[in-house]
Structure formats: structure tokens, C-alpha cells
Amino acid sequence: MSALSEFSLIKQYFEDITTERSDVILGIGDDCALLKCPEGQQLAVSIDTLVESIHFLPDVDPGSLGHKSLAVGLSDLAAMGATPAWFTLALTLPEVDQQWLAAFSKGLACLAKQHNIALVGGDTCRGPLSISIQVHGFVNAGDSLRRDGAKKGDLIYVTGSLGDAAGGLAMKQGKLTKGIGSEVEVNFLYQRLEQPTPRVGVGQMLVGLASAAIDISDGLVADLGHILHKSGVGAQLDIEDLPISTALSTLSTEAEHLALYAGDNYELCFTVPPKHNDQVQKKLKGQCTRIGTITGDDGIVFFKNKKLIKLSGLGYEHFSTGR
Ligand code: ADP
Ligand code: MG
């Protein structure tokens, strides 16, 4: 614990942690940042808050937390097909722990550099640990990937593998038996929980090809449900095609359930009109899996080995009173 002032804390840990951008006219240090949006582009904006014990465990590694706080926002930009540009950070800290701050800002800066996104301002105050990050990105006017464009006959895809973060969390909470999997598999699930990879490049590649997209933060069924609702369509999902990692299927007996319903995934779910399918397959080879088809009906029907099956459940919802 030290008597570091708010001013020097910001200076030491948050100024200049990212590469310079010519569109930042004035960054951290004044009442507002001054930013320049390129002509012909729209600004995509999104904010997310991570609260201790709700979104992350109290003993989480601060470097991973810095990474994840930004990754969830980058994942939203990815889902719109946007190119990251700037972010702001509202940080509420119970105390000034310099070691914690150094690790947190390092994790944050590392991912920010990878995506050339600049920290341009924020707010710092004392209270229970929570982190809010607002991200800003650019997308060519009218080109963004939205939730409302899916049409009957479109193919449904997801990136990466599903359910790993929930498997990692179950492992941390002692609900899975470590001994069953190798150390590599256990660490894979931990990494998927604590250091998710936002699919920014995939999102950008899908511009002009996908008819709708969303990032899977609340679970596949819940988030695909948003696409269906906004687009006025339904879906058929082929359960046996869900991409499930070897680590998850080795370590959890509920891999399929987690793949369908568990949140904290930060993969993309998107729909592709048949005429663009070949191009998507070619461009995203090995990065995505087809899991079903958009139908003209309401809601989702599940098929397993060509047979219709019944499933019930929802994705993660903060304010739901029961299932
Ligand atoms: P004000 O009181 O005018 O809102 P502050 O004293 O809170 O300004 O912040 C001073 C400057 O530091 C501002 O430019 C603000 O954007 C920036 N800032 C504050 N906290 C953070 C943070 N956690 N990360 C990045 N910039 C921050
Ligand atoms: Mg001010």
C-alpha cells in the first residue's frame, strides 16, 4: 500500500501504455480526449464492466484480468466487423497496490498493442474492485455486421471451440477432476477462461460476406437467439457438429451442455448466405465450424445424428430469477 496520488498513478501505469495513433489529437491528461474519426467511417462503440466475484475470481492473476477486461470489448468490435481504435478505462480500486497495478496495466497494454488500440482516457476511484472499458472502432459506413440480417437458408458458423471458459471456471472451483486431463489440457481451459482471444481479424474478414454476427458472451443458444429474434427467423442446430476442444471433452462430462449454454466464450457466431459460403470456407479455413442452418420457423430446433431432440435451458443472464 502506498500513498500514490491518483495523478501519479495514472501517469505511471496508464499513460503511454499503447502505441501512438495519429487520430488521437489529445489523449490522457485533459478533461476530454480529442479524437478524429476517418471520413466515410462509422464509429462502433461498446462498454463492458467486470466486477470482482461476479465476472472474475478474487484471486485472478492481475495480468490476465488486464487482458480480459479489454478482450471482452474487442470481442464486441469483432462481432460488428469493426477495426479497433481507442478505449477508455474506468477503474475502481479498493487500494493502491503497485504490484497489482503494474501487472494489470502490462496485461492490458500487451493486448492493446496487438490490436493497435489506444487508451485515451478514463476515471480512477476507490471502492470494490471493478473495471469498465469502453471501446471504439471504425467500420465503413453501412458495412457493419449486425444481428438483424440472417435469412432462411443461411449457414450458421462459430469460431474456435465452445464451452472452454466454463470448463476452466468449473476446474478452478473444484467441480472437475484435474487428474483426468493432462496439465496441457487443464492450462488450455484456464487460458480460455482468463485470456480469451477476441476474433477481431475474423470479424473484419466477414464484412461483406456474413449476413449477421454476434459474439458469444452469454452462451451459444442465448446469443444465437438474439440473431434469430432480430432477424425474424429460426435455426436448426446439429449438435454433433459443435466444436468442442479435446481438453473440454476429456475433463468434463457435460461438454455438450457447456458448448450450448455456457457464457464467457468470446467466439463469434455468424450466418452466411449460401452464395458466400465457398469464399468464407476459403478465407477462414480451420478457424470456424458450421453448426447449423437458418430456418423460416421460430426458435431453435436441435438435431443429433439426424434425429430431432428436445433440449431446454438458457444462456447466462444477470437478472434472471430462475430457470
Ligand atoms: P476529471 O476530474 O476532469 O474527470 P481526472 O482527474 O479524473 O479528470 O483525470 C485526469 C485525466 O486522466 C483525464 O484525461 C482522464 O481521462 C485520465 N484518466 C483518469 N483515470 C484514468 C484511467 N484509469 N486510465 C486512463 N486514463 C485515466
Ligand atoms: Mg474534468
Side-chain angles (χ1 to χ4, degrees):
M1 184 83 170
S2 93
L4 198 64
S5 73
E6 181 189 333
F7 178 75
S8 35
L9 182 156
I10 295 162
K11 193 155 185 53
Q12 189 166 344
Y13 296 109
F14 297 108
E15 262 190 46
D16 305 324
I17 67 168
T18 62
T19 41
E20 292 205 355
R21 291 180 60 104
S22 60
D23 51 14
V24 179
I25 314 302
L26 189 61
I28 293 173
D30 213 312
D31 292 302
C32 290
L34 296 175
L35 308 165
K36 196 170 153 53
C37 193
E39 227 163 283
Q41 308 256 296
Q42 288 170 339
L43 198 57
V45 179
S46 170
I47 187 163
D48 278 291
T49 297
L50 302 190
V51 177
E52 184 177 71
S53 299
I54 306 280
H55 300 97
F56 57 90
L57 299 170
D59 64 351
V60 71
D61 166 63
S64 298
L65 186 60
H67 172 107
K68 186 163 176 176
S69 303
L70 181 58
V72 298
L74 288 170
S75 177
D76 284 322
L77 291 179
M80 299 300 286
T83 303
W86 317 304
F87 70 105
T88 52
L89 163 70
L91 196 54
T92 307
L93 299 168
E95 59 179 344
V96 176
D97 175 341
Q98 297 215 42
Q99 231 177 341
W100 188 95
L101 276 163
F104 176 85
S105 71
K106 198 171 165 198
L108 187 69
C110 186
L111 187 65
K113 276 213 171 69
Q114 275 176 38
H115 292 279
N116 193 29
I117 187 169
L119 177 60
V120 295
D123 190 30
T124 310
C125 68
R126 189 182 286 264
L129 182 59
S130 109
I131 302 127
S132 291
I133 285 188
Q134 181 160 35
V135 291
H136 308 74
F138 304 137
V139 62
N140 278 333
D143 270 1
S144 61
L145 305 171
R146 300 166 43 145
R147 299 178 179 185
D148 57 6
K151 299 254 173 348
K152 183 181 172 184
D154 288 357
L155 314 176
I156 305 170
Y157 282 91
V158 290
T159 57
S161 53
L162 302 173
D164 298 323
L169 179 63
M171 182 79 69
K172 294 244 167 203
Q173 293 171 329
K175 294 178 187 161
L176 298 180
T177 323
K178 272 189 196 175
I180 298 169
S182 67
E183 204 179 316
V184 173
E185 287 167 336
V186 172
N187 287 336
F188 172 80
L189 294 189
Y190 285 166
Q191 188 176 9
R192 297 278 287 156
L193 170 69
E194 295 187 333
Q195 295 192 21
T197 307
R199 305 297 182 186
V200 176
V202 173
Q204 287 167 8
M205 275 195 261
L206 289 173
V207 169
L209 296 174
S211 50
I214 192 166
D215 75 318
I216 309 174
S217 45
D218 295 331
L220 173 66
V221 168
D223 287 319
L224 174 61
H226 293 309
I227 289 186
L228 304 182
H229 180 72
K230 291 267 182 180
S231 303
V233 291
Q236 174 187 323
L237 285 189
D238 300 309
I239 302 282
E240 71 270 21
D241 292 338
L242 293 175
I244 293 175
S245 65
T246 317
L248 188 66
S249 56
T250 307
L251 285 154
S252 172
T253 51
E254 290 185 273
E256 200 170 84
H257 183 85
L258 295 179
L260 282 168
Y261 297 107
D264 228 13
N265 249 214
Y266 309 107
E267 296 296 344
L268 298 182
C269 173
F270 56 93
T271 59
V272 176
K275 65 174 180 201
H276 290 150
N277 194 37
D278 284 352
Q279 228 179 318
V280 166
Q281 295 260 3
K282 215 188 285 167
K283 270 186 149 176
L284 296 184
K285 213 164 184 240
Q287 294 184 76
C288 63
T289 308
R290 186 187 164 189
I291 57 164
T293 312
I294 295 292
T295 65
D297 309 325
D298 242 10
I300 305 179
V301 289
F302 300 93
F303 276 77
K304 196 167 185 178
N305 304 321
K306 308 246 179 300
K307 279 207 194 96
L308 185 67
I309 57 165
K310 257 196 157 35
L311 290 173
S312 62
L314 293 166
Y316 188 76
E317 259 196 65
H318 279 280
F319 295 105
S320 67
T321 48
R323 299 221 157 155

